Amino acid sequence: MPQEAAHLKVSRDGEIMLVEFTAHRILDEANIAQIDDELTALIEAEYRPKLVISFAGVDHLSSAALGTLISTNNKIRHHDGQLRLCGINPQIYEVFQITRLNNLFRIYPTVKEAKESMAPPTQAGAQ
Amino acid sequence: MQTMRVPKNKGRRGRPPDESPAASLWRRVDVPSAFAPARQVEDRILAHCRRLAYTDRDLFALKLAIEEALTNAVRHGNQLDPHKSIHIKYRITPHRADVVVEDEGGGFNPAALPDPTRNCRLSCAGGRGILLMRAFMNSVVYNAAGNGVTLTKFNDAYPRHAGLLKAGSPEKRCYQ
């Protein structure tokens, strides 16, 4: 059952949480601060949080939004969790390339590929 | 009889940009130092660029850069002081958009900012706004006091102009 938050739509697939933005533009500083609060609450409620953040439908974001993503990544790493980004349109991906944040985040084209990248490794020799 | 020159490349929706003098716009607006009134001016600038058939890529770039400049003015320049103002000047022609954003703060030295793309700074949350402005605009120039910035974007529907200052060219990095 998806949880509706003010700025995020969160759904769960096993231990993976899929986070989607409810707005097309992630620009306003006040909204970004609330998004940061909502992401922090999700991370702190989990043991080793696994988050997939989808940017499907997002057509603008600011440097402040990038700051929130970096902060989220730092918190997840602190909790020994995993973060994946996906569904980023070409214009916004250019923002990640210019800032070299495509080297910091693990970015996948689709939600499916992002989720599959979090699958536990198969044990060697397992049938 | 003088004929109006129409560029080979057409802008958004296949329309050639309107080159008549009436299409150009020159405004100076002073707004209270807050995000909402500043964004209203930003919306007016973008709406006029849209009417002049600026490309979708230009509009994305302008929105991103103006948003960063206004955020810097409100947050860092005027330090969220509601009694201060932001001074915005813009000149929009079919060929180029120039937007000046000035705050009432003490200014700063943009050359002194650390490079946020260095490996050791990738995990730092802030400091990318000016990098993005420089990347998406044809020109970004700060005034001597460091409390005002002029953003320039050429209309990509005019390749003869868009080619003048390409991303990453030495000319593009002539900051003051």
Side-chain angles (χ1 to χ4, degrees):
Chain A
M1 185 79 178
Q3 304 164 32
E4 289 291 344
H7 301 91
L8 303 176
K9 190 173 91 173
V10 183
S11 55
R12 185 177 281 278
D13 179 5
E15 57 183 359
I16 298 174
M17 285 183 289
L18 172 64
V19 177
E20 297 164 284
F21 296 99
T22 55
H24 295 292
R25 295 173 174 176
I26 313 172
L27 297 170
D28 190 86
E29 290 239 329
N31 291 345
I32 290 169
Q34 289 169 12
I35 287 171
D36 190 60
D37 289 345
E38 291 173 29
L39 287 170
T40 301
L42 287 174
I43 294 164
E44 295 189 343
E46 295 285 314
Y47 173 70
R48 292 187 174 176
K50 291 185 176 180
L51 255 69
V52 173
I53 300 181
S54 169
F55 286 80
V58 175
D59 52 28
H60 280 282
L61 88 177
S62 65
S63 64
L66 293 177
T68 286
L69 288 174
I70 293 165
S71 167
T72 298
N73 188 49
N74 293 341
K75 288 170 194 164
I76 287 178
R77 290 173 70 171
H78 181 72
H79 283 78
D80 203 17
Q82 297 178 59
L83 174 66
R84 304 286 188 266
L85 309 184
C86 66
I88 299 175
N89 79 29
Q91 281 183 320
I92 292 184
Y93 188 72
E94 192 178 347
V95 171
F96 281 83
Q97 287 178 309
I98 288 164
T99 54
R100 291 191 64 237
L101 290 176
N102 55 328
N103 295 328
L104 182 72
F105 295 108
R106 292 184 64 173
I107 301 174
Y108 293 85
T110 64
V111 171
K112 183 173 180 286
E113 288 165 277
K115 284 182 176 177
E116 284 172 355
S117 75
M118 287 179 162
T122 54
Q123 291 182 355
Q127 296 296 314
Chain B
M1 180 178 168
Q2 190 176 4
T3 54
M4 190 172 77
R5 184 160 38 90
V6 177
K8 288 178 183 175
N9 279 20
K10 294 178 177 179
R12 298 174 83 241
R13 302 182 195 94
R15 289 183 290 112
D18 182 356
E19 296 206 50
S20 65
S24 298
L25 187 69
W26 165 241
R27 293 278 188 278
R28 177 181 174 130
V29 189
D30 298 329
V31 295
S33 187
F35 295 110
R39 200 161 280 138
Q40 287 177 2
V41 180
E42 175 192 309
D43 288 344
R44 288 205 291 273
I45 293 170
L46 293 172
H48 196 75
C49 290
R50 194 172 289 113
R51 280 197 291 276
L52 293 181
Y54 278 58
T55 65
D56 285 337
R57 181 177 167 76
D58 291 333
L59 295 171
F60 177 87
L62 278 164
K63 182 167 183 62
L64 185 145
I66 296 170
E67 188 77 29
E68 297 293 343
L70 293 174
T71 299
N72 284 348
V74 173
R75 171 170 292 283
H76 302 298
N78 288 343
Q79 301 192 333
L80 300 173
D81 182 346
H83 302 295
K84 290 185 174 177
S85 297
I86 301 173
H87 311 286
I88 305 169
K89 290 183 283 189
Y90 55 95
R91 186 185 65 163
I92 313 294
T93 75
H95 306 268
R96 60 187 279 174
D98 297 278
V99 181
V100 181
V101 177
E102 289 178 6
D103 59 59
E104 296 180 343
F108 76 111
N109 177 10
L113 294 177
D115 179 359
T117 64
R118 291 180 62 185
N119 284 340
C120 61
R121 299 200 65 85
L122 281 184
S123 291
C124 298
R128 291 175 178 81
I130 293 174
L131 168 71
L132 291 174
M133 286 194 284
R134 287 171 174 169
F136 279 94
M137 293 289 99
N138 291 101
S139 166
V140 175
V141 179
Y142 278 88
N143 64 13
N147 68 344
V149 62
T150 302
L151 310 171
T152 300
K153 183 79 186 79
F154 293 116
N155 184 350
D156 273 348
Y158 284 78
R160 64 183 182 279
H161 285 166
L164 287 177
L165 296 173
K166 289 185 176 176
S169 69
E171 296 89 341
K172 185 170 181 297
R173 298 189 177 278
C174 56
Y175 317 121
Q176 290 179 354

